[in-house]
Amino acid sequence: MTLVAEYEDNFSLCKLNLFNKPLANVVVIGAQWGDEGKGKITDLLSKSADVVVRYQGGVNAGHTVVVEGNTFKLHLIPSGILYPGTDCIIGCGTAIDPQVLIQELDQLEALNIPLGNLLISQTAHVTMPYHRSIDRLAEERRGERKIGTTGRGIGPTYADKSERTGIRVQDLMDKEVLREQIYWAINHKNAILDKLYNLPPLDPEEVIAEYSGYADRLRPYVVDTALKIYDAITRRRNILFEGAQGTLLDLDHGTYPYVTSSNPIAGGACVGAGVGPTTIDRVIGVAKAYTTRVGEGPFPTEIKGEVGEMLCDRGAEFGTTTGRQRRCGWFDGVIGRYAVRINGMDCLAITKLDVLDELAEIKVCVAYEIDGQRCEDFPSSSRKFARCQPIYQTLPGWQRSTAECRSVEDLPKQARDYLRFLAEFMQVPIAIISVGPGREQTIIVEDPIHGPKRSLLYADSTPARV
């Protein structure tokens, strides 16, 4: 393979010309607390992908994609559905609310988006009415210890999955099995709704009728998706694995208990799609040029006051699923470096760089102070993390619009310096830079699917410590 790499200032913002592009299976993950702009990046990469697989999460996640002025808000269907030739798979690790899924199907059909390439895992678990009720009521009862759940029933869906009492998509497809499963489940859930929450019981016949109707609509799309993905791998098709939420919301590796109920990290793609780890070629992380968090939990770099409000307004920081305002803060390089490590990240996509355009100075968190001690790594103790005070390095802003920039050279020098600082600090190259919501408002620094591994991008592999 012939490879020409032209380095800018001999470091991690580079251009690549590839004359013999290998095939690749790529995982796209969020490198922060979710809401990083994965929808746009997945949509962009789907152009090069043959198959896009959603591998975890449920309707508590939302991807917003803007195409030619049209805004698409998708919660379950992979954003690759906007490309007619791309197969889109909802994997077994996803929690499926059939009511919301059908609403998305109706929305896309109304816009004449073809749905023939959509496939739904027969072994994915289904969110039921009692899941939503229990989710909302349990959150209310937590009081000051509330997590910030969306109330969409995702946690209880995964809880039933772990308890081996859940209802799966394939159960919907068999009316006798569905009846048996719903009667058994509602008999138990009604006791909880009555004794714990003082709510009237659910009528199993009403639930059966509702979900039988969903089954009729979804039946044409339901298959053994793990087998379909394996077939795509053997045929050497490009596969894009699409995660929801972000690394710091991972059930095992996030800021527990303020996390989601599944594994958004790259390793979760193997379980949630049904593939072996050796099939994954690259991992692409997505991070905003600053940091946001929705819901509860510690947030060391959170900005109160005028600057935080400006970031929220310019970045339109309101949740796709709930409409809740996101908390905004400076870029946290400590959690960024942690995300690189946990996910085995090969490269980064930095989104919403344009939101910083008006700032005279920009801060980056390079370490924490915990009880008077400097800490350069993300603490595994949630109590310690709650006591973290950020240690910042301040960089000059550029105070010039980047919205029309279409190459690295178009960016102001201070913007290039800022990106280079992030890449050096986290020791991961930046492959994509987003300067607005539109597809065209994107700078491709290197091809993140067909490009080389990290070893070809770095002259110095020593982690930067500031």
Side-chain angles (χ1 to χ4, degrees):
M1 180 177 73
T2 303
L3 171 68
V4 179
E6 176 189 337
Y7 284 82
E8 180 186 78
D9 293 345
N10 296 318
F11 215 84
S12 44
L13 293 177
C14 63
K15 295 177 179 180
L16 298 171
N17 296 316
L18 296 161
F19 300 100
N20 182 19
K21 296 182 178 180
L23 295 172
N25 299 326
V26 178
V27 182
V28 177
I29 56 92
Q32 296 163 321
W33 275 287
D35 307 312
E36 301 96 346
K38 295 183 298 299
K40 175 182 177 177
I41 302 304
T42 303
D43 169 66
L44 179 73
L45 298 178
S46 294
K47 186 176 182 180
S48 300
D50 301 307
V51 182
V52 180
V53 182
R54 166 73 178 277
Y55 62 83
Q56 52 75 224
V59 297
N60 55 342
H63 287 169
T64 300
V65 181
V66 180
V67 181
E68 297 178 354
N70 295 314
T71 300
F72 299 86
K73 294 189 176 184
L74 302 171
H75 299 276
L76 287 167
I77 298 177
S79 44
I81 199 70
L82 302 178
Y83 290 95
T86 302
D87 289 343
C88 290
I89 293 175
I90 301 175
C92 62
T94 311
I96 295 178
D97 187 326
Q99 182 182 49
V100 176
L101 179 55
I102 289 169
Q103 289 172 356
E104 288 187 27
L105 294 174
D106 292 342
Q107 173 198 1
L108 293 170
E109 283 185 340
L111 295 169
N112 296 316
I113 304 296
L115 299 173
N117 292 336
L118 176 66
L119 301 173
I120 301 169
S121 172
Q122 61 189 10
T123 56
H125 280 250
V126 177
T127 297
M128 305 298 290
Y130 46 80
H131 290 140
R132 292 189 290 269
S133 297
I134 291 172
D135 195 5
R136 290 192 298 269
L137 294 165
E139 180 76 345
E140 290 174 7
R141 289 174 72 95
R142 289 188 183 102
E144 293 181 356
R145 296 173 65 90
K146 64 181 180 179
I147 296 170
T149 172
T150 62
R152 302 301 177 92
I154 309 306
T157 303
Y158 281 115
D160 279 4
K161 176 179 180 178
S162 296
E163 289 183 350
R164 292 156 290 180
T165 59
I167 294 175
R168 303 200 289 183
V169 170
Q170 63 188 11
D171 298 328
L172 299 187
M173 300 300 120
D174 186 316
K175 290 185 178 180
E176 290 305 313
V177 171
L178 179 62
R179 173 174 293 275
E180 177 184 333
Q181 291 279 71
I182 286 180
Y183 262 94
W184 187 91
I186 287 183
N187 181 50
H188 288 75
K189 300 302 180 182
N190 276 343
I192 296 173
L193 293 172
D194 175 29
K195 293 181 172 59
L196 195 57
Y197 300 114
N198 196 29
L199 283 183
L202 292 168
D203 182 343
E205 288 297 332
E206 290 182 4
V207 178
I208 291 168
E210 178 185 354
Y211 278 73
S212 294
Y214 296 153
D216 291 339
R217 177 69 190 281
L218 297 178
R219 195 180 308 277
Y221 306 102
V222 177
V223 298
D224 182 346
T225 56
L227 184 59
K228 292 290 185 181
I229 294 169
Y230 179 76
D231 178 65
I233 292 169
T234 59
R235 292 166 57 195
R236 296 180 59 78
R237 303 181 75 198
N238 281 345
I239 304 175
L240 188 64
F241 298 91
E242 172 186 8
Q245 287 94 29
T247 299
L248 275 296
L249 292 179
D250 187 272
L251 181 60
D252 293 295
H253 301 283
T255 51
Y256 190 90
Y258 304 101
V259 294
T260 191
S261 300
S262 59
N263 294 107
I265 61 170
C270 296
V271 178
V275 300
T278 55
T279 64
I280 305 299
D281 297 307
R282 289 175 70 83
V283 177
I284 302 172
V286 184
K288 282 176 183 164
Y290 49 103
T291 308
T292 63
R293 180 166 199 175
V294 68
E296 307 301 319
F299 186 2
T301 67
E302 184 172 9
I303 307 171
K304 304 288 187 179
E306 184 178 345
V307 174
E309 292 172 3
M310 183 275 289
L311 292 176
C312 183
D313 291 341
R314 284 182 57 83
E317 297 297 352
F318 298 90
T320 302
T321 299
T322 64
R324 288 183 295 180
Q325 182 172 326
R326 298 175 186 135
R327 302 151 65 191
C328 296
W330 299 115
F331 191 94
D332 191 327
V334 180
I335 67 170
R337 191 155 52 195
Y338 174 74
V340 171
R341 171 168 64 87
I342 289 294
N343 292 289
M345 206 180 293
D346 292 292
C347 60
L348 262 178
I350 296 292
T351 63
K352 295 195 174 184
L353 182 68
D354 55 301
V355 174
L356 304 180
D357 285 351
E358 295 181 358
L359 294 174
E361 292 184 337
I362 302 169
K363 295 181 180 181
V364 177
C365 176
V366 296
Y368 301 138
E369 182 181 297
I370 308 176
D371 301 332
Q373 300 293 316
R374 182 183 175 101
C375 176
E376 296 187 340
D377 296 299
F378 176 73
S380 59
S381 166
S382 57
R383 290 185 178 274
K384 277 190 176 181
F385 186 62
R387 299 198 303 274
C388 284
Q389 297 299 316
I391 299 173
Y392 288 118
Q393 179 150 334
T394 301
L395 290 83
W398 43 94
Q399 295 186 293
R400 185 184 123 195
S401 175
T402 58
E404 301 301 321
C405 295
R406 297 296 179 266
S407 70
V408 172
E409 293 79 10
D410 291 341
L411 293 170
K413 179 182 182 301
Q414 295 88 341
R416 297 197 302 271
D417 290 344
Y418 178 69
L419 293 168
R420 188 179 300 106
F421 180 87
L422 299 184
E424 290 185 19
F425 184 81
M426 293 184 290
Q427 279 290 284
V428 65
I430 294 173
I432 299 171
I433 305 160
S434 174
V435 292
R439 274 181 180 170
E440 75 285 356
Q441 293 179 291
T442 310
I443 298 170
I444 306 296
V445 185
E446 65 114 336
D447 185 333
I449 289 187
H450 300 108
K453 287 286 191 177
R454 185 188 320 196
S455 59
L456 295 177
L457 293 173
Y458 274 100
D460 178 10
S461 60
T462 304
R465 297 280 173 170
V466 179

